[in-house]
Amino acid sequence: VALKRMLNFNVPPVKNSTGEPVWKILIYDRFGQDIISPLLSVKELRDMGITLHLLLHSDRDAIPDVPAVYFVMPTEENIDRMCQDLRNQLYESYYLNFISAISRSKLEDIANAAIGANAVTQVAKVFDQYLNFITLEDDMFVLCNQNKELVSYHAINRPDITDTEMETIMDTIVDSLFCFFVTLGAIPIIRCSRGTAAEMVAVKLDKKLRENLRDARNSLFTGDTLGAGQFSFQRPLLVLVDRNIDLATPLHHTWTYQALVHDVLDFHLNRVNLEESTGMESSPAGARPKKKNKKSYDLTASDKFWQKHKGSPFPEVAESVQQELESYRAQEDEVKRLKSIMGIEGEDEGAISMLSDNTAKLTSAVSSLPELLEKKRLIDLHTNVATAVLEHIK
């Protein structure tokens, strides 16, 4: 919802408005790309009027009559590049959205560039979006995908870590959690284990939330920006635990479909990449080995099979794929059978009554074709993924 509002120039999208969307282009950095890609497909972006989506640091041509929505981290090099865009007069107007809050000094840099480029009127809006987290499922998010080595368990527990590095890591984690609660529109009750990194995060997050609430005029947790947030009297509980006492993982790590895909296959941002095996044909001596085809599949919330079976033990998944295949074949055979009946010989009464009866059946069969094709696509997808997992298990 927050992303859609941002892409709609920070105005909540109006329901069932039949008008054409305003055509615009989206410019993001790698962070922005990671945040958007698991949530919005290219088609959904197009429905929202995004004709082009480009990386900030790629070579971009000027498109002077189109508004541009920027969605980037407020880093030095990103700000420099945006100032350069303003100087080059690339777009009609600029909506600058920062993934996490931008500092005063960097805002001044942009302002100076805009004045220098005589483009002040074109900078339409500057927003802190507080979206510095990646949502992978309805109830699961991760804090970062880019430079994730910098905020990993290993990074925090390195023996040679300096205090400044530790501060940076904690600030990154706190910033992402803060963004999450701003987007959620709720102030959590924080619990943590003492004497660990979790406590450092908790203290910093607590301080950041309190500072924000103290300034009533600019508080992110009041006002109309949050929709339902301010009406809820229940505060969520945020439990921060250090990975050292992470008992869930050894217990949880079973033969479930999702855990296996995550472990043994190349699985990032809800997309799994497979190399197709080229079969067993023996190539003639001295011939080049055949190139393996790479395929990638999205395992998303709209994939019914994945939703139903991601937590199932792997052998059950294999059976379910087989059952799906059989039910698909039965439906396909039914369509074929109806086709053959349609070529009825003779003009006797029986044939004609049968024909009218079967016309209805055929109509329903034809109308269920898109559903059948989608079913077939999912069966193929999961057959391939499950086979790849099986190879690893063997």
Side-chain angles (χ1 to χ4, degrees), residues 254-258 306-313 317:
T254 51
W255 274 64
T256 58
Y257 193 23
Q258 188 175 24
W306 176 247
Q307 282 303 338
K308 190 170 165 192
H309 293 292
K310 62 185 179 186
S312 309
V317 175

Side-chain angles (χ1 to χ4, degrees), residues 132-165:
N132 190 9
F133 57 95
I134 300 174
T135 309
L136 294 180
E137 293 174 21
D138 289 349
D139 43 16
M140 168 166 151
F141 68 97
V142 292
L143 297 189
C144 72
N145 202 55
Q146 297 294 324
N147 7 344
K148 59 181 168 198
E149 281 68 45
L150 301 180
V151 285
S152 61
Y153 176 73
H154 173 243
I156 295 175
N157 291 288
R158 279 205 337 264
D160 57 344
I161 188 166
T162 62
D163 284 356
T164 47
E165 286 176 315

Side-chain angles (χ1 to χ4, degrees), residues 347-365:
E347 284 296 308
D348 59 343
E349 287 298 305
I352 288 180
S353 69
M354 243 168 102
L355 189 65
S356 60
D357 184 30
N358 280 309
T359 310
K361 276 192 192 163
L362 192 68
T363 315
S364 82

Side-chain angles (χ1 to χ4, degrees), residues 15-32:
K15 282 273 185 295
N16 60 37
S17 61
T18 49
E20 278 282 287
V22 181
W23 298 111
K24 49 198 168 275
I25 66 175
L26 170 65
I27 293 163
Y28 45 45
D29 58 359
R30 294 261 173 233
F31 290 94

Side-chain angles (χ1 to χ4, degrees), residues 14 29 75 79 95 100 112 160 220 231:
V14 187
D29 58 359
T75 58
I79 304 279
Y95 292 80
S100 44
N112 290 333
D160 57 344
L220 296 161
F231 298 122

Side-chain angles (χ1 to χ4, degrees), residues 38-63:
L39 291 173
L40 297 170
S41 63
V42 176
K43 179 183 176 301
E44 287 173 289
L45 287 176
R46 186 150 308 126
D47 292 344
M48 297 197 64
I50 304 288
T51 49
L52 272 179
H53 36 95
L54 306 163
L55 279 166
L56 178 67
H57 292 284
S58 56
D59 297 329
R60 306 191 308 276
D61 301 324
I63 311 179

